[in-house]
Each structure stands twice: as C-alpha cells, then as structure tokens.
Amino acid sequence: FVNMATVPTTQHLHTGEQEEDDEEEFSHFPEHNTSDDSDRSTIAARRSKLETHESVSSESGWKGLTKRIFSKRGFDNTLNLNDSQLTVLKKGWLFKQGFKRKNWKRRWFVLTDGWLGYFPNETEKNALGVMHLECELIYPSSGFSKDTLTLVFPERHFFIQPDNPEEFSSWLTAIKEAISWASRGSFKSLEESKNETESNVVSTTTATTTPAPAPPPPPPPPPAQVSSEVWQEEDDSLDLEFQTSDMDGLIKRLTLPTKNSASFVKEFLLTYRIYLEPLQLLMLLQDRFWIEPDEELDENQKNCYKETKQFPIRLRVNNVIRTWFDMSPKDFDNELISECLNFFTQQEQEYQADLLMKSILPVKKAMSKKVMGLSTFEDPPDLMTMANDADYGSFTLFSFDDLEIATHLMYFEHVLFCRITSNQFLRGAWYGKDKYLKAKDIVDMIEHFNKVSTWISMLILNESSLEIRRQSICRVIGIGEACLQVQNFNALKEIISGLTTPAVSRLKTTWQGIPSSKLAKFKVLQKLTSDEKGHEGLREKMGESQPPIMPFLGMYLHDFSAVDEGSTDYVNGQINFDKCRKIARIAMNIITLQKAIPTLESPNMRLLKLLTKIPQGSKDLTMALTLSKRLEP
C-alpha cells in the first residue's frame, strides 16, 4: 500500500446515485485501518463488514448530509465541473464499484483541481456523484487487480479502475495532482457552494417583478400505443460483423434481445482476458442484467419494455455466464463463484423469476459442486502419482515395443496438452518475463519437447559402438513411424528434431550403414515435419486425420505470434475485435483437439515413469557436439 495523502476526517464524499442496480445506502464508514485489510480480501468479506456495521443517525451522518444536498438524480443545482473557474485535469471512462450490490459500473468521470465527479455518459449535465478530494489514495488495492485505485474517505472507500489499463498511469498522476489541490484548501465545500447558489437565487428573485400567473397546462395526451420496435431499434443497429468496438458495445452485442451469435460469444469468451479480468467481466454482465426502463415511461410502456427488452437481455446474460463456465471453468475461482451465486440469488425476486432460475439452474449446481470440491471439471490424472509405485529398474527406452512407446507418449503428452487454458495463448504469454506465472502449462510442454529431442540425440551419442548407434537410429525412426500411426505429431516432431541436430546428423559413417529402406522412411517423416510454408505438410496431414490427435504445439504458437505481431489490441482507441476473432479461431481448433482424449487400455507403469523422468537436456546439449566429434573426428 502507498499512502498518497492524509487529511482531516471531515465529510467529503457527495454522491447521489440511486439507480436500482447500484443504490447506495449511505452510512458512516470507519476510518481506514491497514491492519483491517485482511478483512477486505474478498468481496464477500467486504459485504459482511458493511452489512454488520452500525450506521449513524440520518441527521448527523452521511445519509442526512446527502438528503440536504441532493435531489433524486444528483444536485438541485449541479456544481458545473466544466466551469471556467475549475481546471479540468482529465476526463474519461472509469469503472466504479457500487455500494450495495458491489457491481462495477462504467461511468464518465471528470477530474478537476480538487473535485472528481461522475456521470452516466459524456453528455449528461447532472452528476451522479461529486467528491471533494480531501482523501487518502491507496494503490494497489487489497483484493483487487493492480490497476484499482482506492479513494479513502471517512465515510467510505471508493474503488475505481480505468476503462483501458493503458491509462492507469495518467489517471494516477492526475488524481495525485487533484488531491494536492484539495489538500491546500483552495475551494469552498460543496455545501457552501450550494448555499451560495441558493442565496443568489433568492436575491435575484427579490429584485425581479413578480410575473403574471402562467396559463393552465394543456390536458395530457392519451397513452400512445407502444410497439416493441421502440426498444429494439437501438439494439438492431449493432452489427455482429464488426471490426472494432468499445467494451460497452461488446457487452451489448453479447446480450442482444432480438438476435444472437453463438460464434461471437465464443470468440469473446476466448479473448476477453486481453482487456478484462474475470471479475470485471462478471460485473459488466451484472450491470447489463440490471437494466431498467426509464422512469418517465408510463406503466404500459414499462411493461412492454420489460417483456421485449429487459427479460430477453437477462436471459442472454445468464446464457453467457453458463457458456463461459462450460468453456473456461478454470476462470472461476471461489471468489468469482461466490459472486455468481449471490447474483443468481438476487434474481429470485425479479420479473419472470421462474424462467430466469431455469436458465441458470445447471450452472448454479455445477458451481456449487466446484466450491465443495465435487466438480466434474477435473485436471487430467497426475501421471507421476500413477507411476510412483512402479519398479523403475534397469531398462531403457529400447526395452519397449515401438508402438507401445508411441501410445504412451501420445497419452502422456495429451495430458500435458489438455492442461493448457485459452488465456495462456494471449499476448505471447509463453515467452514473456512472467511466462511461468501466465503460461506455465505451455512452458511445460515446450520444455518437454526440448527434453525429448535432446534425449533422442543422447541415446545415439552415448553409444561408443558403431553398430549399436546404427541400431539405435533405426529404432528411433521406427518409433517415429509409430507416432505417426497413432497421430502424435508432436512426438514425431520431437524425434525428427533429435535425429537432425548437428551432433547426430554429422555422423556420416554411422548414417552410411543405415538400410536404404529406413533412410527412405526417415526422409518422408522429415519432409512431413518440415517448417516450410508454415508447416504445410503437418497441416495437410492433420486435416486428413480424425481425432484423437496430438498436434505439434509449436505450429499453433507460431500462428498466435503472427496474429499478435501483425495487429494491435486497439485501433483509434477502440478494441480491435478483428484480431480477437483470429486468435479465437486458432484457440477453437486447439480446444476441439483437447476434447478428444486418447485412451490407454493397458498402461505400462514402468514406461510411464520413464517418460516422467526424462533428464534435463541443457547440459547434454552442451556436451553433444563434443561427444559427436569424439565418436567421429
């Protein structure tokens, strides 16, 4: 925690937002205490703390202060944050956490020298809330992502996040400057500003001649016949075949009441983590769910709105969450599941609650099971544990049959392959500085590939007998043929890589004694696994094959890198969803192959244990050329 400013404990925060999905029941918050941060580590804990805290009276506490200053939708006379007397430091979209439901709402924020206000959109004049920034700034915020800022007032903690993570630094700098202005006491309090405005209104009224009474208003028109087209017009204008969009547009497209695209939902769910954390996505979906008709509508119009727009959108939201959980169950940790279950509980009192409950019943049961450790979404079996009691003994790879080796390699590598989740393919996570944190399972597969390739080389180079080296090469080629037979293209690539290393390929005397039939088969396998034309040979062969298939992972990593380096995440400030589509289509191919799991009818535990104990190849690789030159100078 970094404390930016500490100020006297007076009431500073003024917010009048009272929308149904974010209604703030204002109560006096305790002073911030860093020793209490553990109690705020989860949303559930924070909710419990707020619900059990005793509030002060409405006249002396926060709620009373709000009633004296605010109308239903903000100020009676709004403090104009665009006033020429105030210096606007920054404007933009931020997410703010609500007080009651704890959902994150996207708001337009205006930051001036000492004040921070937020609005429902860029054009709205009435602020939903305004804060005089005599407060303490904390970041990073305990229990939140690293780009969350906490403004600590005596009355409450106010959590905000940039709409675009790339703007975190600029917002941080601007808020520090605004807090510095506020702490110098250069501004009147909000109540003083309002009282001054009211006194000006009174004096102006006194000096003005009393106007003639206004004529009586005309009778209200009869209620108009409401068509569902009124509510569908905005949504129908959103095209599902688009190139760029802001996040608000993406969430709307996920949950359109009149049209839907299953492929778009999958593309979004496979790539959303480029821009959002899982909890942020859930909060946006909740915000979309709690959409309400405008208060200005009459009762008939509200009912029409609920039937033709609100309820279909809510069903879409639930379906998106269900699809999300089915596709990426590992995204859902206990905190996220807890938020989902609370969200589902809140729906029980809503319009058409029985149908809403029916739409989320399967995923609700699955989430409850996962929390209790009974989920059907389990990792593949741990092969080290399976082979732990096996008698390792004194045997080598060549102690087993070629096809047996190939089937066990297929099973072993497919287990590693299935552990990879779609988010590990985003933004080149497997070669970044945090690769072991962000893409551990991809890194494990890469390291396994390198170990097997080096192991194959060393099985040949460690043999001092010329005849045995030739026999070893023939056996390795035979194992490669068996890997092709069981459609393990990853292991086939490992074997060919091991045979074509400089240390092995330079053994001319050894290769001259290899039977011509074996050499011909080797050349066929070598051509099949060639990198030329983007692994054209492997792609064609895989296209002709039926699952289960173990693909060469490096081929897909090359595809992801090409997309990532060939386009940017944002175009003119908008999310580049065309790039997301390309990434998602590659990921969908991988997911399809992960679902077809090969069987191992008669597992050989000794062979499995041998595969899990393949030696590290770094030292052997360093020694390889030395050994090769010693065998054939």
Side-chain angles (χ1 to χ4, degrees), residues 537-552:
L538 277 177
R539 293 181 194 274
E540 288 182 0
K541 190 64 178 178
M542 287 176 56
E544 299 168 358
S545 306
Q546 295 295 322
I549 296 172
M550 179 60 222
F552 169 46

Side-chain angles (χ1 to χ4, degrees), residues 291-336:
I291 185 172
E292 292 288 345
D294 196 306
E295 289 297 328
E296 296 178 358
L297 301 179
D298 61 34
E299 198 63 30
N300 290 336
Q301 291 174 322
K302 287 181 179 179
N303 290 336
C304 180
Y305 181 94
K306 290 180 179 180
E307 184 69 30
T308 60
K309 184 168 184 176
Q310 182 192 69
F311 179 66
I313 286 176
R314 291 181 169 185
L315 283 180
R316 298 286 192 204
V317 169
N318 285 345
N319 289 336
V320 169
I321 295 175
R322 185 175 61 194
T323 303
W324 180 16
F325 187 74
D326 289 342
M327 289 179 59
S328 306
K330 291 185 179 179
D331 283 1
F332 289 76
D333 57 16
N334 286 345
E335 180 183 10
L336 188 60

